[in-house]
Each structure stands twice: as structure tokens, then as C-alpha cells.
């Protein structure tokens, strides 16, 4: 369903913006690098986890589409 896909895309975009705001609040800036890992969750949903690329340390995560 194209309309549902478009709606889910909007959800992902809002989550990504939310993550970016949180990273800025935590003191990261435009020169910081991150690894974003998307993991499918059984029965629908995706976990977006963010790691600091320089240290490998976990920074934050969000669950989308449960």
C-alpha cells in the first residue's frame, strides 16, 4: 500500500529528527560521526540504535512501528 508506506516514511523521518535533536542536546556537533543500526522486531516494528563511530559506544535508540 503506497499510502501506508508514505506514512511509515514520515514516522521514520520524525524519529530521525528526534534522534538528531537528542544528539545535539548531548553535546555532539556536525563533526561527530555515528553508526545507525536498524533492526527488525518480530511482529512489526524497527529498532533504530545509534552508536558513536569514534568510540563504538551506544548513544540512544528508538522503536518505530510497534
Amino acid at each position: 500500500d503506497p499510502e501506508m508506506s508514505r506514512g511509515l516514511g514520515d514516522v521514520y523521518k520524525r524519529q530521525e529528527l528526534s534522534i538528531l535533536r537528542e544528539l545535539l542536546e548531548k553535546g555532539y556537533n556536525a563533526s561527530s560521526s555515528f553508526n545507525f543500526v536498524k533492526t527488525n522486531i518480530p511482529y512489526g516494528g524497527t529498532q533504530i540504535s545509534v552508536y558513536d563511530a569514534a568510540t563504538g559506544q551506544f548513544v540512544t535508540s528508538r522503536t518505530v512501528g510497534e
Side-chain angles (χ1 to χ4, degrees):
D1 181 2
E3 191 166 320
M4 183 179 270
S5 294
R6 187 172 33 247
L8 189 54
D10 291 343
V11 170
Y12 281 116
K13 187 177 289 185
R14 281 193 304 273
Q15 290 301 323
E16 289 170 359
L17 290 173
S18 172
I19 289 170
L20 291 174
R21 268 193 301 277
E22 182 178 341
L23 295 173
L24 290 171
E25 289 170 1
K26 288 185 174 189
Y28 293 101
N29 57 46
S31 65
S32 303
S33 296
F34 301 95
N35 294 317
F36 285 76
V37 179
K38 291 184 180 181
T39 306
N40 291 328
I41 298 172
Y43 308 108
T46 301
Q47 177 79 31
I48 303 170
S49 301
V50 182
Y51 298 86
D52 184 312
T55 65
Q57 185 173 12
F58 173 79
V59 179
T60 191
S61 67
R62 298 286 190 287
T63 301
V64 180
E66 285 188 306

